[in-house]
Amino acid sequence: PCGGYKYRPNQCSSAYGLAQLDCYKEQFSEIDQAMTYFCDLIDELPGIKSHRPPREEGYSKGGWYFPLAHYAPVEFGGLSNVRFAEAVNAEGVFCGSGCNRPLHSHPVFHDMDIYHQGKPTRVANLPDGLTVEQIQKPLKVANEINNRIMGLPAFKKYNKDYIEQCAGAFKKVVAHHGDLMKGIEAVVEKGGYSASKMVAKS
């Protein structure tokens, strides 16, 4: 009802993809080495814990698509991940705040009239006298997750000095986080719905 993308590759893209598969193991190995080293460095910091399989289990994060870390505001006096990320970015290193928005809050589940019934599908078939508020349960973890996640830089090459430099930016912000508590912080809407930020309306 709201369109979409098939993402079918053309022949040229398919040929490039097949050729790249020959390089995959070598590229993956270097990416894994670089990201593992960076995560080891930031895991030494308080309040930040990289999101990855336990090393003793012998697994890795594959291609490390969209690397994330857990962020504990309580370790930084309540400092938000938005303010923390802004400070790291000011050091010239990428750091994101949040991840995907909770899927249950997507407009398709609230506002969209999928079957053209004249009202949002979510409420179109409720029994008389029953409201959404009566059946909706609070999802506290899902609603809070964006405040406790941060995006990490993604390294494709194992450049030890550069990785240490980037980790140093995180270390600097951790050391001076108290200075970031000054002033009023603007409310920032974090994340999108996966790759799409489309707002579906009826």
Side-chain angles (χ1 to χ4, degrees):
C2 56
Y5 299 94
K6 295 187 184 301
Y7 291 115
R8 292 175 179 166
N10 56 57
Q11 290 179 327
C12 186
S13 296
S14 298
Y16 279 123
L18 288 171
Q20 281 296 100
L21 287 177
D22 293 335
C23 310
Y24 172 74
K25 288 185 179 180
E26 182 180 348
Q27 291 174 344
F28 161 76
S29 179
E30 185 166 13
I31 291 171
D32 194 54
Q33 182 184 20
M35 290 303 306
T36 297
Y37 183 55
F38 177 76
C39 289
D40 287 344
L41 293 175
I42 66 165
D43 280 353
E44 296 174 357
L45 303 173
I48 302 173
K49 178 68 175 174
S50 62
H51 182 258
R52 55 178 171 164
R55 295 184 66 180
E56 61 271 14
E57 293 184 4
Y59 296 104
S60 73
K61 286 272 288 179
W64 287 87
Y65 169 75
F66 198 17
L68 299 169
H70 299 277
Y71 177 80
V74 67
E75 295 283 342
F76 303 108
L79 182 71
S80 77
N81 58 353
V82 173
R83 184 66 66 87
F84 188 99
E86 287 174 346
V88 175
N89 288 323
E91 295 295 318
V93 176
F94 169 78
C95 180
S97 56
C99 51
N100 293 336
R101 294 184 193 176
L103 189 57
H104 72 277
S105 67
H106 196 292
V108 73
F109 300 119
H110 295 269
D111 304 329
M112 192 169 185
D113 181 4
I114 297 173
Y115 301 108
H116 308 290
Q117 295 169 284
K119 62 178 73 174
T121 299
R122 186 177 191 213
V123 299
N125 300 304
L126 284 179
D128 291 338
L130 193 62
T131 66
V132 171
E133 288 72 24
Q134 291 172 304
I135 63 171
Q136 180 171 286
K137 296 181 179 180
L139 302 176
K140 295 181 180 179
V141 174
N143 289 330
E144 177 65 16
I145 194 70
N146 262 335
N147 297 322
R148 297 177 177 274
I149 294 290
M150 63 169 51
L152 300 178
F155 301 96
K156 303 301 181 186
K157 299 290 183 181
Y158 181 66
N159 182 328
K160 191 170 182 287
D161 290 341
Y162 179 65
I163 293 171
E164 291 175 353
Q165 178 183 335
C166 291
F170 281 77
K171 184 176 182 180
K172 180 178 179 181
V173 174
V174 168
H176 299 281
H177 72 270
D179 297 335
L180 302 172
M181 297 296 294
K182 301 169 184 175
I184 299 174
E185 183 174 351
V187 176
V188 176
E189 198 172 59
K190 308 180 191 82
Y193 296 109
S194 189
S196 173
K197 294 187 178 180
M198 180 189 70
V199 176
K201 294 291 184 181
S202 59

